[in-house]
Amino acid sequence: MTKKILVTGGAGFLGSHLCERLLSEGHDVLCVDNYFTGTKDNILHLMSNPKFEVMRHDVTFPLYVEVDEIYNLACPASPVHYQFDPVQTTKTSVHGAINMLGLAKRVQARILQASTSEVYGDPEIHPQTEDYWGKVNPIGIRSCYDEGKRCAETLFFDYWRQHALEIKVVRIFNTYGPRMHPNDGRVVSNFIVQALKGQDITIYGDGQQTRSFCYVDDLIEAMIRMMGSHSDFTGPVNIGNPGEFSMLQLAELVIRMTSSKSKIAFRPLPQDDPKQRRPDITVARNELSWEPTIVLETGLEKTISYFKAMI
Ligand code: NAD
Ligand code: UDP
Ligand code: UDP
């Protein structure tokens, strides 16, 4: 069945892949974005599709449109970008969620929230399960993002309890792939761009902190399955790749795969940087019959090719 689907943050890294996938399934897609971190380049190849519509709009302001489903992705995701204007980051998460939930309530649309593993903060439980409440600093430099996303989850569950809205909450763990912004400061894009340019690979801290990296195609598949899941499944559900790597391992892998002459250079560790992170994806396996299929080396190959063509 063809649906009218709203994707907020649709011109961003994940949003553009999601729009592409939804269009390929024959849906009408409305992409809403204020181009803070997203770009028109990310969606240029979709513009000629008559089923694709783009609207420049900031989700902190009300939006009146008629749609059947909403994917709420609008929010800068990299620490450099979300710390650039932290007040706007919290507004985007909180006011943005209120407006999109108000919209969903009015038109009775199913709504999915792109939440994050950051709701677990610097976790004391490893790997992280959905029932863990997290360890988040409420007043640090990451708080605008972490607490904004936590409050958005609260709003989603209150609209569900209070207004019987059909909500879907996914907690996304570090995801990478083509169309990441080359300067957005996230580790995968930074390392690849540095390696390709022969610049120093900047490791923050001693490089022993870990992350689990999910390739974008795996993530989009999980989002689609989540939106289509039975109506009493709200999540939250962890979406990520349980393979866990230290930043030092990632740097060495990128240097090897790009045959780069870059050297590793250590830089100060930013405040509140989580020490370890790995999703427990039992819920996703059971409820969505989903698990990632793309291992880090394969995903990195595709991402390196993308940045090679760009640079
Ligand atoms: P991104 O920065 O590429 O995309 C975010 C998009 O939202 C951009 O196009 C940006 O212009 C837009 N946007 C920002 N503020 C807006 C506003 N007020 N109104 C309208 N549009 C606005 O980042 P991404 O990696 O594609 O992340 C997409 C979503 O997924 C975000 O909500 C992010 O928090 C979440 N997420 C991503 C990851 C990841 O690893 N990529 C991990 C966890 C959660
Ligand atoms: N809203 C919106 N589009 C709609 C319906 C509502 O942007 O189609 C906004 C509206 O401006 C309001 C918010 O969503 O600020 C929350 O709406 P809700 O109906 O839940 O609350 P109320 O309007 O009663 O404050
Ligand atoms: N990081 C790094 N060098 C960089 C960029 C990031 O060592 O050039 C580290 C960062 O300190 C963190 C990890 O890589 O420990 C992941 O950072 P990213 O910003 O990609 O994601 P997040 O911290 O939000 O998980």
Side-chain angles (χ1 to χ4, degrees):
M1 200 186 72
T2 304
K3 295 185 187 127
K4 289 195 284 293
I5 302 177
L6 166 62
V7 178
T8 75
F13 160 48
L14 298 180
S16 63
H17 286 274
L18 179 61
C19 289
E20 190 176 308
R21 169 73 188 263
L22 293 169
L23 287 167
S24 78
E25 291 177 1
H27 298 295
D28 270 302
V29 175
L30 172 59
C31 163
V32 162
D33 204 294
N34 70 349
Y35 303 114
F36 174 50
T37 52
T39 68
K40 286 183 187 163
D41 285 341
N42 286 341
I43 47 171
L44 210 55
H45 63 298
L46 306 175
M47 297 286 199
S48 57
N49 188 328
K51 289 186 169 253
F52 188 57
E53 198 181 340
V54 188
M55 185 192 274
R56 180 192 289 268
H57 175 81
D58 181 329
V59 294
T60 61
F61 296 99
L63 175 68
Y64 285 80
V65 291
E66 310 307 312
V67 291
D68 305 311
E69 276 179 1
I70 303 167
Y71 288 85
N72 188 35
L73 274 64
C75 186
S78 97
V80 174
H81 283 142
Y82 70 64
Q83 288 164 19
F84 172 77
D85 184 348
V87 173
Q88 173 68 13
T89 298
T90 302
K91 281 186 189 170
T92 293
S93 274
V94 177
H95 292 184
I98 291 173
N99 287 327
M100 292 311 107
L101 287 161
L103 169 62
K105 188 180 106 190
R106 182 178 61 77
V107 300
Q108 296 191 353
R110 207 172 248 216
I111 180 168
L112 179 145
Q113 168 68 357
S115 190
T116 167
S117 52
E118 292 286 329
V119 300
Y120 302 123
D122 191 3
E124 306 130 304
I125 300 284
H126 195 72
Q128 291 78 53
T129 47
E130 289 86 350
D131 54 8
Y132 174 53
W133 290 354
K135 183 180 158 224
V136 176
N137 176 359
I139 57 168
I141 56 172
R142 293 176 86 97
S143 312
C144 59
Y145 184 75
D146 299 7
E147 296 289 20
K149 288 285 189 178
R150 284 167 68 95
C151 183
E153 284 200 10
T154 307
L155 285 159
F156 267 69
F157 279 85
D158 282 330
Y159 269 78
W160 172 67
R161 277 183 290 260
Q162 206 172 322
H163 300 299
L165 227 64
E166 281 199 34
I167 62 155
K168 305 281 172 190
V169 176
V170 291
R171 291 184 178 153
I172 303 169
F173 285 63
N174 298 61
T175 300
Y176 69 100
R179 298 196 207 124
M180 292 184 91
H181 198 291
N183 302 324
D184 85 355
R186 283 185 267 192
V187 70
V188 175
S189 43
N190 265 13
F191 285 5
I192 293 177
V193 171
Q194 289 163 344
L196 291 176
K197 290 184 170 171
Q199 298 167 344
D200 284 350
I201 307 280
T202 55
I203 289 193
Y204 304 158
D206 60 9
Q208 295 305 321
Q209 72 270 36
T210 66
R211 293 292 186 275
S212 302
F213 298 103
C214 183
Y215 187 67
V216 58
D217 291 357
D218 279 332
L219 177 90
I220 299 299
E221 176 63 30
M223 280 184 144
I224 301 276
R225 286 187 191 211
M226 182 60 175
M227 186 59 106
S229 63
H230 54 89
S231 57
D232 50 358
F233 182 59
T234 57
V237 57
N238 289 338
I239 302 297
N241 191 319
E244 184 181 356
F245 298 86
S246 72
M247 294 313 102
L248 208 51
Q249 284 175 316
L250 179 70
E252 283 160 359
L253 186 57
V254 169
I255 290 173
R256 179 165 63 71
M257 289 182 66
T258 51
S259 313
S260 173
K261 295 199 165 49
S262 291
K263 300 272 172 297
I264 287 176
F266 292 93
R267 299 273 185 273
L269 187 69
Q271 190 196 327
D272 295 337
D273 200 275
K275 284 181 274 306
Q276 54 178 7
R277 185 183 286 157
R278 171 155 60 100
D280 181 316
I281 60 164
T282 310
V283 175
R285 281 201 178 101
N286 292 343
E287 296 289 337
L288 309 176
S289 308
W290 174 89
E291 61 182 2
T293 57
I294 298 160
V295 296
L296 184 59
E297 283 213 37
T298 310
L300 282 179
E301 241 166 59
K302 296 171 195 265
T303 314
I304 290 167
S305 304
Y306 169 79
F307 281 115
K308 249 188 203 158
M310 175 183 262
I311 288 168

